[in-house]
Amino acid sequence: MIESAGKIHALPDAAYQPSPNETYAVVFAMTKPSKQPGTVNPALERVARAVNLHASAGVPANQMRFVAVAYGEATPLTLNHAQYRAQFGIDNPNLPVIEELRAHGVDIAVCGQAVQEAQLQYDWIDPSVKLALSAITTITLLQHKGYALMPL
C-alpha cells in the first residue's frame, strides 16, 4: 500500500498473521530523530511498514485505525518544506511518506508541546499534520479508546 517507505518481506506462511476479519487500532509514538536530514525518519518508516505488513496479510485499509504522533527528537519530521529547507538545506523527505500514509487513512499528528520545546512555530508544521495538544494526552486518549501503543 505504501510505496515510498516501509519495505517488507512477504511471509504468507509465517506465524502471527493479522486477520483480515479484524480491525486494528494502534497509536505509534514516534520519538526517534532522522539519521540524516535527507532520509525518511526511521519511526515514520516503521509506521509505513506496519501498514504494509497488515495489508500483505489481507487487512483492508478501513480496518487499520492507525495514528502516528511525533514528539521529542522526531518533531522536525512534521515541518513544511520551507522550514525544513531553512533548517536542513533540503526539502522534507518525510512529507511524501506522510501524504501516502494519509491517503491510506493513517492519521499523523505532532505534539504541540514538543513544537514549542524545539523552538519551532506552529505555522511551520505542514498542513497535512494535525497539531495535537500533546503526545501525552493523545496517547492516553487513544489508549483509553482501546488503541495499542507502539513506541518507535
Side-chain angles (χ1 to χ4, degrees), residues 51-77:
V51 171
N52 290 339
L53 287 167
H54 282 78
S56 77
V59 178
N62 66 354
Q63 290 173 214
M64 293 182 230
R65 294 185 352 227
F66 291 172
V67 177
V69 59
Y71 60 104
E73 293 181 287
T75 302
L77 76 85

Side-chain angles (χ1 to χ4, degrees), residues 112-124:
Q113 307 308 302
V115 170
Q116 283 295 300
E117 289 170 11
Q119 298 180 334
L120 304 174
Q121 294 180 23
Y122 297 126
D123 62 352
W124 294 0

Side-chain angles (χ1 to χ4, degrees), residues 83-136:
Q83 293 305 319
Y84 199 90
R85 198 176 312 110
Q87 289 197 20
F88 302 109
I90 57 172
D91 281 349
N92 186 342
N94 300 292
L95 293 183
V97 179
I98 289 172
E99 258 183 61
E100 199 172 353
L101 286 166
R102 290 195 40 82
H104 288 90
V106 178
D107 199 13
I108 309 293
V110 64
C111 171
Q113 307 308 302
V115 170
Q116 283 295 300
E117 289 170 11
Q119 298 180 334
L120 304 174
Q121 294 180 23
Y122 297 126
D123 62 352
W124 294 0
I125 302 304
D126 192 79
S128 64
V129 176
K130 288 184 180 176
L131 178 65
L133 172 61
S134 71
I136 293 169

